[in-house]
């Protein structure tokens, strides 16, 4: 279960044009009334082609969605707890999806234990306005896991040290210039709060 | 952040469509022009309310690799180590957390071997042993929180 050899590796199947689109949007989409046209113009491609390729990447799960990522602190979630659970191996497959489906859990993963260093195999990110609210959510998860859980902990975040999202090597780290005629395209630097 | 901003943050977390004018439906709902909406999104990015707006890529679906890594860093050395870790372009997020393991970051790499290389570099540069916790299974990903 453990170690680098067991990571899931899939063939991304990106052709060179898809790859250019990925690299050009790693820091974000041009802010414009017609953002895909602005992106296409920056790449010297047709807007229809760029939109068709993005739609295909969405369908394949390469793009999860085209969306805004908020700073949790800034939108009122001042308490952000990474909750970690030591759940019996034979039960985690059935219980993990139930934890992941809870509305206050934003991400939920099974991860390896590391003998002598790290005993927890289930991770659930829990967000709340206050630590009391997070603690209530933790109690809900504890009740759901019941006897299958031997121990748990909550690691509150105190500071964002870096948040840039995925970067492929070769990316410029800057959004492409939005140059579509008639659009008020704006370009933003990547953010490192 | 006003009530309109909160609605924009909530709506745009759900994503926009791949169409010529993807902001048109939300702009109509909010009774503003698309240009005004785009302007507001720009201000939310500038203010740090939004950290990013655009396609959210799945590194594994791209053929890449992810891991969640943690370090136990002496407090006195924390800022220096954070600088060393953040200097790696493969480090996508990094959070300070209250725990013996007090620095938690995601390493996203494109090629097999890159994650292990970055881990080895961080260990050499910082003198701290990296806890390497790749995801084995995903149980739901909501990526959406209502602005308060």
């Amino acid at each position: 279960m453990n170690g680098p050899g067991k990571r899931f590796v899939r063939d991304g199947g990106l052709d060179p044009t898809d790859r250019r689109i990925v690299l050009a949007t790693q820091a974000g989409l041009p802010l414009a009334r017609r953002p895909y046209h602005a992106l296409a113009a920056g790449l010297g491609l047709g807007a229809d082609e760029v939109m068709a390729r993005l739609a295909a990447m969405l369908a394949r799960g390469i793009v999860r969605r085209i969306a805004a990522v908020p700073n949790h602190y800034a939108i009122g979630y001042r308490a952000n707890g990474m909750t970690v659970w030591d759940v019996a191996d034979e039960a985690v497959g059935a219980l993990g999806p139930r934890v992941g489906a809870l509305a206050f859990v934003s991400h939920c993963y099974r991860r390896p234990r590391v003998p002598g260093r790290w005993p927890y195999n289930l991770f659930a990110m829990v967000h709340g306005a206050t630590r009391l609210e997070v603690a209530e959510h933790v109690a809900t998860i504890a009740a759901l896991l019941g006897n299958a859980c031997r121990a748990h902990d909550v690691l509150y975040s105190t500071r964002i040290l870096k948040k840039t999202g995925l970067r492929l090597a070769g990316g410029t780290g800057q959004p492409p210039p939005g140059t579509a005629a008639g659009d008020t395209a704006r370009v933003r630097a990547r953010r490192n709060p | 952040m006003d009530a309109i901003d909160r609605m924009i943050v909530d709506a745009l977390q759900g994503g926009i469509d791949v169409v010529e004018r993807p902001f048109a439906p939300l702009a109509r709902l909010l009774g503003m022009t698309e240009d005004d909406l785009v302007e507001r999104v720009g201000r939310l990015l500038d203010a740090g309310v939004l950290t990013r707006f655009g396609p959210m890529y799945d590194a594994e679906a791209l053929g890449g690799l992810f891991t969640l890594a943690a370090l136990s860093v002496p407090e006195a050395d924390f800022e220096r180590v954070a600088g060393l870790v953040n200097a790696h372009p493969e480090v996508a997020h990094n959070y300070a957390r209250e725990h013996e393991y007090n620095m938690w970051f995601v390493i996203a790499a494109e090629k097999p071997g890159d994650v292990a290389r970055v881990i080895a570099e961080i260990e050499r540069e910082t003198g701290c042993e990296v806890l390497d916790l790749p995801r084995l299974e995903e149980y739901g990903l909501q990526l959406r929180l209502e602005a308060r």
Side-chain angles (χ1 to χ4, degrees):
Chain A
M1 280 304 166
N2 205 340
K6 288 288 183 183
R7 288 196 181 88
F8 302 108
V9 184
R10 280 172 279 170
D11 177 10
L14 287 189
D15 72 18
T17 305
D18 284 342
R19 192 184 156 78
R20 286 181 65 212
I21 293 170
V22 173
L23 289 172
T25 55
Q26 285 190 108
L29 200 62
L31 283 181
R33 194 159 49 92
R34 300 192 301 162
Y36 307 111
H37 287 63
L39 172 62
L43 289 168
L45 297 170
D48 287 344
E49 180 179 3
V50 167
M51 288 195 284
R53 285 175 175 275
L54 279 170
M57 285 193 274
L58 272 164
R60 287 154 65 197
I62 290 172
V63 176
R64 288 181 180 278
R65 67 179 77 175
I66 299 170
V69 180
N71 176 335
H72 292 152
Y73 296 91
I75 64 167
Y77 293 84
R78 301 200 174 274
N80 299 279
M82 183 173 75
T83 73
V84 294
W85 308 81
D86 176 9
V87 180
D89 288 332
E90 63 275 15
V92 70
L95 290 168
R98 295 180 58 196
V99 174
L102 295 167
F104 53 78
V105 172
S106 64
H107 307 64
C108 186
Y109 299 111
R110 184 166 68 82
R111 299 185 183 278
R113 297 186 181 87
V114 179
R117 297 176 68 202
W118 186 256
Y120 306 106
N121 59 337
L122 183 69
F123 286 60
M125 296 299 308
V126 175
H127 305 275
T130 63
R131 290 194 181 193
L132 181 62
E133 191 179 324
V134 171
E136 287 166 4
H137 295 329
V138 169
T140 301
I141 297 174
L144 192 159
L145 294 175
N147 292 333
C149 176
R150 289 177 287 255
H152 74 271
D153 203 347
V154 183
L155 285 70
Y156 288 101
S157 64
T158 52
R159 201 147 51 98
I160 300 174
L161 304 170
K162 184 177 186 182
K163 189 169 183 180
T164 53
L166 170 66
R167 292 275 184 278
L168 290 187
T172 60
Q174 299 292 328
T179 51
D183 272 346
T184 48
R186 300 179 59 180
V187 178
R188 298 204 171 261
R190 65 201 263 190
R191 316 202 70 84
N192 288 307
Chain B
M1 194 166 57
D2 62 18
I4 299 282
D5 288 333
R6 279 193 282 278
M7 285 191 271
I8 291 170
V9 170
D10 289 349
L12 291 184
Q13 284 184 72
I16 59 169
D17 291 331
V18 184
V19 295
E20 181 175 350
R21 290 167 60 179
F23 296 107
L26 180 59
R28 199 176 310 120
L29 192 67
L30 297 175
M32 60 173 66
T33 68
E34 292 154 83
D35 286 340
D36 287 345
L37 172 55
V38 165
E39 180 68 32
R40 284 240 189 190
V41 174
R43 272 192 273 131
L44 290 167
L45 282 164
D46 283 341
V49 173
L50 299 179
T51 58
R52 192 172 175 283
F53 180 73
M56 298 168 69
Y57 293 101
D58 180 329
E60 292 186 5
L62 282 171
L65 297 158
F66 265 137
T67 201
L68 177 67
L71 292 177
S72 177
V73 184
E75 273 313 316
D77 217 16
F78 195 84
E79 298 305 323
R80 185 184 72 88
V81 170
L84 291 169
V85 170
N86 291 351
H88 290 269
E90 297 87 353
V91 172
H93 322 127
N94 189 2
Y95 285 82
R97 296 191 181 277
E98 289 177 6
H99 191 267
E100 179 193 339
Y101 285 102
N102 53 0
M103 189 180 294
W104 288 78
F105 47 97
V106 171
I107 301 172
E110 194 177 359
K111 295 191 297 291
D114 280 356
V115 169
R117 172 182 57 75
V118 172
I119 287 173
E121 287 172 3
I122 288 173
E123 289 188 331
R124 190 177 65 242
E125 291 162 3
T126 66
C128 301
E129 190 178 4
V130 171
L131 192 62
D132 176 17
L133 302 171
R135 84 182 181 195
L136 302 176
E137 263 181 282
E138 180 178 295
Y139 303 122
L141 188 67
Q142 317 234 6
L143 295 174
R144 195 168 182 180
L145 291 170
E146 195 178 316
R148 295 187 165 182

